[in-house]
Amino acid sequence: SLQCKILKCNSEFWATTSGSHHSGPERAPEFCTALRAYAHCVRRTARTCRGDLAYHSAVHGIEDLMSQHNCSKEGPTSQPRPRTSTPDSQERSDSPEICHYERSFHKHTAPPNYTHCGLFGDPHLRTFGDDFQTCKVRGSWPLIDNKYLYVQVTNSPVLPGSLATATSKLTIIFKNFPECVDQKVYQAETDELPAAFVDGSRNGGDRHGANTLRIVEKTPGQHIEIQARYIGTTIVVRQVGRYLTFAVRMPEDVVNSTEDTENQGLYLCLRGCPQSERIDFRTFRARAAESHVAAVGGSRGSVSMEAFTYKSAMVKCKERLPVEDLYFQSCVFDLLTTGDVNFTLAAYYAFEDMKILHSNKDKFHIFERTGDLTPGNSAPGRPSTPSSLSALHFLALLLWIQCCLIHL
């Protein structure tokens, strides 16, 4: 958290010891002096950092290093020296270590766990917990809301009078991080995907770690990437057709750094869409598969619109998404509800961005959970609860008859 200064202690220690080799006995006194200064700094943070994993990792790490290098807990401490960098570094040479999320971790601690969230199409949400949902969420909704970052999407109807919606506006607020970046706001909407923040800048401002927050334009007007290295986060925003897609890679501790725990339910990437906003697209798909009537047709302005049957939608989606996972099923759903072939590309790019941002390749493809009977997630063709109870009653009756026959 912003109150816990453990990362500052970490950065001062590594700034003091970087570039030196401490394996030889001639370096041991210098290293022990720096280590004692590190321990002193960590002790000063104890009251505000008791619940912080980085703090506890630092405490154990110091004990291990003290033991390995035979350092005494009593003795002189040193003041940290500024760390030098090459002038042609991508980031400013005076950027403090606290502004580099990955560098702030102790060498003896496990690397951070990263998670992914994505929103695309009509709209489909993949949460940080790898739940896959199709939602209505018309209007403005918060995707992310934690201590460091706020993301809000606005979803508009795809067709007049239709329940189908897609993301037409996106607002991202990088909250003030005193040691590194000023508060920055990024906004994108249909036909306006800027490569700069609202104030015209492309980085985090005038502070020492400003370049640890920056915008990179990949394809003008179609694809930008925001790199927020001070919180270990990467955001990808695209415009596909007339609508926006969003994807993010974020460390778990940043994901869970919520300020208002009572309103976490509104944090869609963390908690998912409310049950009342979810669409059971599996039932919709089952009905569409039984029907041979084309859904949606005609044209709408310059947008390419077609009339799709369930079979023709599957063929179209197979061109980009050969595996029939939930990205493929979302593509089919969007073609049936909108007739806009650009949604095929939206599902494809959402899958491609996920492959880059997700840290677990075994979870790239996710499929329907046929055993999940929660509202909005039941598999088509699966018997409902009353039918299941009737089957149990029938089995009980057969057992009762069998027992009677044995007694006879």
Side-chain angles (χ1 to χ4, degrees):
S1 68
L2 296 180
Q3 292 76 31
C4 175
K5 303 296 182 182
I6 188 62
L7 297 184
K8 185 173 185 294
C9 297
N10 291 351
S11 65
E12 288 178 351
F13 174 66
W14 294 115
T16 305
T17 58
S18 63
S20 301
H21 301 283
H22 302 288
S23 56
E26 70 281 358
R27 289 290 186 181
E30 180 185 340
F31 183 74
C32 290
T33 299
L35 195 56
R36 282 190 291 268
Y38 185 23
H40 181 65
C41 182
V42 170
R43 281 196 297 272
R44 290 201 307 268
T45 71
R47 190 167 60 87
T48 55
C49 294
R50 290 193 185 278
D52 194 292
L53 290 176
Y55 164 77
H56 293 288
S57 296
V59 170
H60 292 300
I62 290 169
E63 291 176 356
D64 290 343
L65 289 172
M66 285 276 193
S67 175
Q68 290 173 21
H69 294 271
N70 295 319
C71 296
S72 169
K73 293 183 178 180
E74 302 296 328
T77 60
S78 64
Q79 295 298 318
R81 299 192 306 266
R83 178 176 164 272
T84 58
S85 299
T86 54
D88 59 348
S89 174
Q90 269 191 331
E91 293 158 9
R92 292 187 182 180
S93 59
D94 56 354
S95 293
E97 288 291 309
I98 194 173
C99 298
H100 299 264
Y101 180 83
E102 292 182 354
R103 294 185 201 172
S104 67
F105 277 79
H106 195 280
K107 290 183 179 179
H108 296 275
T109 62
N113 290 322
Y114 289 93
T115 57
H116 161 73
C117 177
L119 186 78
F120 67 97
D122 177 18
H124 307 285
L125 173 71
R126 179 169 180 161
T127 70
F128 285 126
D130 292 315
D131 288 329
F132 201 102
Q133 302 165 1
T134 298
C135 310
K136 291 178 283 188
V137 289
R138 182 173 179 173
S140 297
W141 291 78
L143 269 183
I144 297 173
D145 187 5
N146 59 42
K147 291 182 179 179
Y148 311 103
L149 185 65
Y150 178 80
V151 180
Q152 178 178 281
V153 292
T154 301
N155 299 313
S156 305
V158 174
L159 293 169
S162 171
L163 292 177
T165 64
T167 302
S168 57
K169 186 176 181 180
L170 180 70
T171 301
I172 305 172
I173 301 175
F174 294 90
K175 300 178 183 180
N176 182 48
F177 194 103
E179 295 87 349
C180 306
V181 300
D182 299 321
Q183 177 170 295
K184 290 289 176 178
V185 179
Y186 178 82
Q187 283 191 331
E189 52 189 305
T190 299
D191 296 330
E192 188 175 347
L193 189 68
F197 295 108
V198 170
D199 63 5
S201 65
R202 291 195 175 203
N203 67 8
D206 297 324
R207 300 185 183 179
H208 294 323
N211 283 330
T212 57
L213 172 63
R214 60 182 189 142
I215 296 179
V216 179
E217 188 174 52
K218 299 290 188 177
T219 306
Q222 296 180 29
H223 180 195
I224 64 106
E225 183 177 295
I226 305 177
Q227 300 165 356
R229 289 193 179 95
Y230 67 101
I231 52 173
T233 297
T234 301
I235 294 173
V236 175
V237 182
R238 296 178 185 268
Q239 176 166 329
V240 184
R242 292 189 52 77
Y243 299 101
L244 304 175
T245 69
F246 171 87
V248 63
R249 177 181 189 258
M250 184 180 288
E252 281 185 351
D253 59 336
V254 177
V255 167
N256 294 311
S257 65
T258 52
E259 292 179 321
D260 187 355
T261 54
E262 293 182 2
N263 291 325
Q264 277 189 353
L266 295 177
Y267 180 167
L268 300 188
C269 273
L270 184 63
R271 299 297 183 190
C273 299
Q275 287 287 354
S276 60
E277 295 292 324
R278 298 184 192 181
I279 297 173
D280 183 3
F281 82 84
R282 295 165 181 81
T283 299
F284 175 91
R285 188 195 65 204
R287 291 171 181 166
E290 294 171 359
S291 171
H292 299 288
V293 179
V296 183
S299 61
R300 185 166 61 94
S302 60
V303 180
S304 177
M305 306 289 285
E306 297 181 18
F308 285 96
T309 62
Y310 179 68
K311 185 175 181 180
S312 64
M314 287 190 69
V315 171
K316 188 66 178 177
C317 291
K318 278 277 188 181
E319 294 175 4
R320 293 279 183 173
L321 299 160
V323 178
E324 293 188 21
D325 60 2
L326 286 174
Y327 288 92
F328 171 85
Q329 301 294 355
S330 297
C331 172
V332 173
F333 175 83
D334 289 351
L335 291 185
L336 291 173
T337 57
T338 70
D340 185 349
V341 294
N342 286 309
F343 282 99
T344 304
L345 283 175
Y348 168 75
Y349 284 126
F351 180 71
E352 291 301 305
D353 289 337
M354 179 277 303
K355 287 197 296 184
I356 295 171
L357 299 173
H358 205 295
S359 58
N360 187 349
K361 66 179 181 179
D362 294 331
K363 294 184 178 180
F364 284 1
H365 295 287
I366 52 179
F367 300 87
E368 294 179 35
R369 292 179 296 181
T370 55
D372 189 351
L373 291 176
T374 57
N377 287 311
S378 58
R382 189 176 176 84
S384 62
T385 302
S387 300
S388 300
L389 289 174
S390 299
L392 287 173
H393 291 156
F394 180 69
L395 286 173
L397 179 62
L398 285 178
L399 287 171
W400 181 77
I401 294 171
Q402 185 177 6
C403 287
C404 291
L405 289 173
I406 290 172
H407 284 294
L408 290 173

